[in-house]
Amino acid sequence: MEKRSFWAVGTREVVYMAIGAALYGVFSWIFNIFLVIPGTANVAVRPAVVLPLFFGAVFGPWVGFFTGFVGNIIGDLLSGWGFWPWWDLGNGLMGFFAAFALLSVKEYRTGRDYAIAEIWAAIGVVIGMGIASLSEMWVSGADMRAVIFANFVPAAATDLVNGLILLPILLAAYMAVARRTGR
């Protein structure tokens, strides 16, 4: 991995933003159709949530944010769920915060490197889903109990499980390809 500014947005980042958002949108749509959790407010089990976490942890905060934000818009619109900007923001924040691992990690090689990525991914999920869930109180008039148990707990729990299991796998695969190709 070449050394770049943490906040840089160039041609490379724009390409990764587009790829990440497209992948996240399509995979979210697939899982939104088949894996909605009963008794929740359109919360699905989403293995695709690893994509904004991965893109953030590898390519930076703006790539992670765009992947989550725009990818979630695409997935929701394809699913017929409409436009929910606070949930799009929450998904964007997951990818944004996952990128903070890059401040301590140059390449994902050691257990410590992966642990740092996992910690920042978990922080991103909790903050992102927390903000998205709490917004339901002001936007749709939900009470705190509904926000916690119909939105935050199912969304954060499934995103944490999926993200924390799949993130090290994607990071290891990406690093293997990057080393092999000399990138």
Side-chain angles (χ1 to χ4, degrees), residues 67-81:
T67 297
F69 184 82
V70 174
N72 198 68
I73 291 170
I74 294 167
D76 282 355
L77 291 175
L78 290 174
S79 303
W81 288 4

Side-chain angles (χ1 to χ4, degrees), residues 85-182:
W86 50 97
W87 286 94
D88 304 327
L89 174 65
N91 279 266
L93 289 173
M94 287 191 300
F96 182 84
F97 280 100
F100 282 80
L102 290 172
L103 294 174
S104 303
V105 176
K106 290 184 176 63
E107 291 187 24
Y108 296 99
R109 292 185 180 266
T110 68
R112 177 186 176 279
D113 298 339
Y114 287 96
I116 290 170
E118 295 271 74
I119 289 167
W120 280 108
I123 290 168
V125 167
V126 171
I127 290 172
M129 292 301 93
I131 288 173
S133 297
L134 286 174
S135 297
E136 289 289 340
M137 290 176 24
W138 302 288
V139 176
S140 58
D143 65 7
M144 183 59 83
R145 181 175 168 80
V147 164
I148 292 171
F149 294 107
N151 296 110
F152 178 73
V153 170
T158 59
D159 287 355
L160 283 168
V161 169
N162 284 307
L164 297 180
I165 289 171
L166 297 173
L167 183 59
I169 296 168
L170 272 182
L171 289 173
Y174 173 78
M175 292 309 301
V177 169
R179 277 187 224 108
R180 197 171 309 132
T181 60

Side-chain angles (χ1 to χ4, degrees), residues 13-91:
E13 286 78 18
V14 171
V15 169
Y16 290 133
M17 287 174 178
I19 292 168
L23 287 172
Y24 188 43
V26 169
F27 284 114
S28 290
W29 166 60
I30 292 167
F31 293 112
N32 285 349
I33 292 172
F34 297 110
L35 297 176
V36 174
I37 301 170
T40 65
N42 286 342
V43 176
V45 175
R46 303 177 309 149
V49 78
V50 72
L51 293 169
L53 300 173
F54 168 77
F55 276 82
V58 173
F59 305 116
W62 300 120
V63 176
F65 181 83
F66 190 90
T67 297
F69 184 82
V70 174
N72 198 68
I73 291 170
I74 294 167
D76 282 355
L77 291 175
L78 290 174
S79 303
W81 288 4
F83 181 64
W84 302 89
W86 50 97
W87 286 94
D88 304 327
L89 174 65
N91 279 266

